[in-house]
Amino acid sequence: MKLVIQGKEYELREGISKATLGDLYVLKVKSGMGVKRIMEVFRGMEKAESHFDLIESEDGIQALRAMIFLCRRAAGEYLDFDEATDFPMSEMGFVVDDEEKSSADPKETPTASAPDEGTPVED
């Protein structure tokens, strides 16, 4: 699965696999979460009806902020935690890779593409 922010795609797995100890420390201090908790929250999203379900709880919002931070850092964008997550929600989305689509039941896999510029994300 990929995270799309302002038209740029970020691989979610790389966000975690390329995290430095410094990134993980900032993550824990700023979000209160570690990688294990973030992964638990995202696994729960697999059963969600919509990717908007993720942002219905504080844990979901913090996990999303954490993944955005880690993905952007892994891509070489050295923004602090708050800067990394400071953009309109209408400029964010998720893309499910073809491999993931073929191995999952389409009814159970929430997907969204990056919104067109100026078009708000709708459920």
Side-chain angles (χ1 to χ4, degrees):
M1 180 181 284
K2 293 181 182 166
L3 176 66
V4 181
I5 302 170
Q6 298 172 324
K8 184 172 180 182
E9 292 186 1
Y10 302 87
E11 181 64 52
L12 288 178
R13 288 185 198 117
E14 285 185 14
I16 292 173
S17 67
K18 290 184 177 181
T20 67
L21 190 55
D23 292 338
L24 296 177
Y25 177 75
V26 170
L27 180 80
K28 184 68 172 176
V29 169
K30 290 290 193 167
S31 73
M33 295 183 155
V35 172
K36 183 178 177 182
R37 179 66 186 133
I38 292 165
M39 292 176 73
E40 288 171 359
V41 171
F42 270 83
R43 267 190 233 109
M45 185 179 136
E46 293 172 357
K47 298 173 186 140
E49 291 179 23
S50 163
H51 65 280
F52 287 110
D53 291 349
L54 182 64
I55 57 175
E56 286 297 310
S57 69
E58 183 178 346
D59 272 359
I61 291 170
Q62 288 293 53
L64 181 57
R65 291 182 76 212
M67 282 308 303
I68 291 167
F69 170 74
L70 291 177
C71 286
R72 293 185 88 172
R73 294 288 290 221
E77 298 175 30
Y78 293 101
L79 305 167
D80 70 28
F81 190 82
D82 293 323
E83 288 174 321
T85 60
D86 189 23
F87 57 86
M89 288 294 296
S90 62
E91 296 178 4
M92 187 197 80
F94 294 96
V95 174
V96 177
D97 296 327
D98 290 337
E99 294 172 8
E100 291 175 291
K101 284 180 188 176
S102 64
S103 66
D105 181 344
K107 294 177 187 169
E108 295 181 12
T109 306
T111 61
S113 59
D116 293 327
E117 190 169 334
T119 304
V121 176
E122 294 184 34
D123 190 23

